[in-house]
Structure formats: structure tokens, C-alpha cells
Amino acid sequence: MTVTGIIAEFNPFHNGHKYLLDQAKGLKIVAMSGNFMQRGEPAIVDKWTRAQMALENGADLVVELPFLVSVQAADFFGQGAVEILSRLGIDTLAFGTEEVIDYQEIAYLYTKRGSEMKNFVENLPDSLSYPQKTQVMWKEFAGLDFSGSTPNHVLALAYAKAVAGKNIKLQPIQRQGAGYHSVDRDVDFASATALRQHQANYEFLERFMPAVRLFEQAPKVRWEDFFSLLGYQILSNPDLTSIYQVNQEMAVRIKEAIKSAQSVEELVSLVATKRYTKARVRRLLTYILVQARESSLPEGIHVLGFTEKGRKHLKKIRGQVNLVSRIGRESWDEQTQRVDQIYRLGNPQLLEQNFGRRPISK
């Protein structure tokens, strides 16, 4: 049987995600971000709620991406997620994209010329942001020309790089509906951004979210819920460069901007430059919020939930993979566990996120 991997955030789960799961073949394993997202923001609802949404709508197994995989630029996000899915025995990686091209050929290209492509990026001027450097690289080596308005395509290229040299087939699926950041409500498939923005409009949510009852019942979290704590972390830390990926330039800019910023978004706008994108700044602020430190990929894989098909697959691979099903009885990534405790400060109604929690069984 085909074993298909899917890398997702489900922030929140919507009809476009269900379409992706419906198009995927065989056993469907989702590697899902935990309680903080790739672009540097807290999940609107917690990881257990989002895992249950997925299991009720086509996923067979949901595992958690550790914090330092979840909150990363596209290349590192893709690399960490693919490594975890590879351990779980996938033979296919399915993903949504705005541009359906031959990503398998892209993976083959990177297999052959990866070192050359890395050197090319490293020698580009530092006045360019990392996303701009990768765009130049793809145009130079693959003839691909794209803008920042196709984030799923950018992730797809990162996945192609990550599977280079691995025996994994790529299955691109045309992304449905409005653009990634669209807040348009008059569409066939609303974006996650639109659903977050219109979360108080139940009629709108019900139209575009197959698991709307779970979303409605769950405590909600926003970046602004952490603004005071973020300000404290910035002002009380004498050396922000001790935080993961924060350099001296960013430390100075952030220290200065927090003196006048009245919100997270205002702080991001004050700090961001042409070289340091807003997404990168949000990631740095997330690292500061949780006092992130560099760490390697944990050996264990945290299981959030499974169906009967998923349970049988876990039983099949259990002796080959270090599976963590109950934190407390088994150890897992300490940084992610600490991050989850901080996430709970965003809403006092949030339940314990790790210790004693068992995987969801559907």
C-alpha cells in the first residue's frame, strides 16, 4: 500500500486541507506543526485540536514537528519534516502548490548539483534576503521565475530539495481557492488567513471548515496575547544574541523598537528591513519569547493521534522507529515541551499539552 506523507500546519483546518487529504493516496501520515507556526506565530488553536480535525477528515496518523522544525524558513522546515516522514516509511510526499510543475525533476537536479547550488547562494550579496537568494538560485539553475506571492510553491521547492537522493515520489496537488493570504469571503475555498480573521463569524466558518465544532470549542490564541511577555523577555535579556539566530544587528533593532511599539505587528514593522523579512522577524520574536536555543532533531517521534489504519502502521514500524506516545512516561524534545508551557500562557483555558496526554484514537 502507498504510504503518503503530508506536511501541514492546519491553522486552522479547512476545506482546502480536506481536499488535499482526499487527493492523497493510501495510508496518509501528517507531520504537523506543534503550537507555533512556520512563519513565527502561535497556532490559533492547540496541536491536539488540529490533530483531531485532521483525523476526522482523512488523516490516518498525525505526528508532531518539534519546535525548531516548525518555526523555520522554508528550506529547514521542509528538511526536518521530510526527515521525520522518511523515518515513518513514506514512499510519496503530497503537497498543495500554486504551480504544478515537475518537482521530481527539480529533486533530481538538486541531487546532481546541490553543492554547486548551495555555493551559489552563499556567494550572493548579503543585501538580498534569504528568500530572494533562493529565488535567484532557482532562476539560475532551473529557469524558474516566481514571486513571494506563491508561498506554497516556495515550500514545494523546499520539499523537492529535501527529498533529493531519497526514494520518495512527489505528488503536487493544485492549491484550491483564494491566495494564501487572501481574506476574501466570496470564494469556493477560504484561506486559513481569512478564517482566522473572521473567526467570530460562525456562518462563514461553517461554510469552509469541516471540523467547525472542534474549532468553536477550543480556546483561541493570538500573538497579541503574548505581547507583554515578549516585551519583558526583550527588555530583561542583556544579550539577545544568546537566543537562537538573533545576531547583533537584529538585537539592537529589536531593543530599540520595543521602546515605542504598541503591538506585535507594529514591532515587526519597525524591525523588518528589505534584508530581514517580516516572516523572519516574527520567527526571531518567537525565539525570543520562548528563549529558544539551537538543538538537533530529537530521536523520538511524538505521536498525536491515529485511526485504526494508522495504528496498524505504527505497530508495523515500532521496532524500527523510536515512537513517543505518552510524554512523562517517555522523554521527548525538552525545548518543545517548554515552548508548550509558554503557549498555554496565551489562554488560561488551555489544557496541559504534553504530560500524561495520550494519542487521539479514532
Side-chain angles (χ1 to χ4, degrees), residues 117-131:
M117 294 163 81
K118 286 179 186 176
N119 290 335
F120 178 82
V121 169
E122 289 171 1
N123 289 313
L124 289 172
D126 286 339
S127 57
L128 296 176
S129 67
Y130 185 74

Side-chain angles (χ1 to χ4, degrees), residues 252-262 266-267 270-271:
V252 170
R253 291 185 65 83
I254 291 168
K255 284 274 192 182
E256 184 61 31
I258 195 62
K259 296 176 184 177
S260 59
Q262 299 296 308
E266 186 178 354
L267 179 60
L270 288 170
V271 174

Side-chain angles (χ1 to χ4, degrees), residues 307-325:
T307 62
E308 181 59 22
K309 280 174 66 176
R311 186 190 66 78
K312 289 179 179 177
H313 184 72
L314 289 175
K315 185 176 181 181
K316 179 181 175 182
I317 65 172
R318 186 168 291 278
Q320 309 159 38
V321 184
N322 181 358
L323 299 169
V324 177
S325 59

Side-chain angles (χ1 to χ4, degrees), residues 1 26 33 61 85 93 121 127 148 156 170 178 180 183 195 217 224 231 255 301 308 310 336 357:
M1 178 173 60
S33 295
L61 172 61
L85 287 170
L93 181 69
V121 169
S127 57
L170 295 171
Y180 184 81
V183 294
L195 291 165
Q217 294 166 1
E224 296 306 325
K255 284 274 192 182
I301 298 175
E308 181 59 22
T336 300
R357 295 290 293 259

Side-chain angles (χ1 to χ4, degrees), residues 340-356:
D340 283 346
Q341 292 175 325
I342 295 170
Y343 177 76
R344 289 184 67 199
L345 298 176
N347 191 317
Q349 295 180 12
L350 281 164
L351 299 176
E352 165 62 44
Q353 292 293 292
N354 293 300
F355 293 100

